[in-house]
Amino acid sequence: MIKLIDINDIIELKPMSLNTDVTKKLNFCIEEAQKYDVMPFLGDTLYILLETDFSNSPSLGEDIYADLFNGCDYVHGTRTFRHGGIKALLTYYAYSRYVQNSTVNASAFGLVEKINDHSNGVSKETLSRQIANATALAEAEKTKVDQFIRYNISDYPTWCYAGKTTAAPSGIKINAIGGSRIKMGSSYRCRGCGHYRCLCNFI
């Protein structure tokens, strides 16, 4: 699998001290983020098209893939939007995966936690907050890219999410308002196509 970003992209986002162990972990975190975060989001077909264009030219020869990967400002209707692209999304996901694995090492005796004599490790609570923050940033970038593709779906007809809907949660949601319980539907169908989540909702 071709790496769409490298360690320098992560360092620009989150400055860190590099050594052999960190470099190795960052490399496999990038690969896992591409394989398990980005590819499922784009779908195999669109991902392969993007990767192929990237492998032919790291600056991306086709504008539609450059806009998707690097991010851009774009206009929809009367409003202007900005998204950070697959590159930003991938960088945050890779960093999130690195943080999750930063204190654990595989050894001949199983998984071990490395303790440095010259520094103190962060608490589990602090580590959890760092992981949650990195993941939240990745999800925020994903939402922006999702919107960009939906608004420009004619350029990305192979996007796997384009024809899918999300299943409605079962049951009802109870909210207590002013001391009384009000039943609220957990999801609402689109009046246009009848699906719970669709392209109509974004136009």
Side-chain angles (χ1 to χ4, degrees), residues 13-118:
L13 179 74
K14 297 288 185 180
M16 63 180 72
S17 177
L18 288 180
N19 56 41
T20 302
D21 288 340
V22 172
T23 300
K24 288 180 179 178
K25 285 185 178 180
L26 284 175
N27 278 325
F28 88 72
C29 286
I30 290 172
E31 292 179 1
E32 285 191 350
Q34 285 184 205
K35 187 180 296 183
Y36 301 114
D37 297 316
V38 175
M39 187 181 288
F41 169 60
L42 293 179
D44 288 7
T45 302
L46 180 54
Y47 178 87
I48 291 170
L49 290 171
L50 175 65
E51 185 183 69
T52 300
D53 198 46
F54 183 87
S55 64
N56 292 333
S57 172
S59 60
L60 295 161
E62 294 193 38
D63 290 340
I64 60 170
Y65 297 123
D67 289 344
L68 175 61
F69 183 74
N70 295 314
C72 64
D73 293 348
Y74 63 99
V75 177
H76 181 75
T78 59
R79 302 175 63 188
T80 300
F81 300 89
R82 174 176 295 175
H83 77 107
I86 294 298
K87 184 176 182 179
L89 183 157
L90 175 57
T91 303
Y92 277 113
Y93 270 127
Y95 178 72
S96 174
R97 287 179 175 274
Y98 167 75
V99 174
Q100 294 178 57
N101 292 279
S102 60
T103 61
V104 178
N105 293 278
S107 73
F109 305 98
L111 294 177
V112 298
E113 185 174 16
K114 186 175 182 180
I115 303 298
N116 189 324
D117 294 334
H118 304 290

Side-chain angles (χ1 to χ4, degrees), residues 127-155:
L127 182 61
S128 295
R129 286 197 298 270
Q130 291 294 322
I131 294 171
N133 180 63
T135 303
L137 291 172
E139 290 296 321
E141 292 293 343
K142 182 178 180 179
T143 298
K144 293 180 181 179
V145 177
D146 181 293
Q147 177 178 271
F148 167 74
I149 298 177
R150 289 180 184 276
Y151 282 166
N152 298 276
I153 193 63
S154 60
D155 290 332

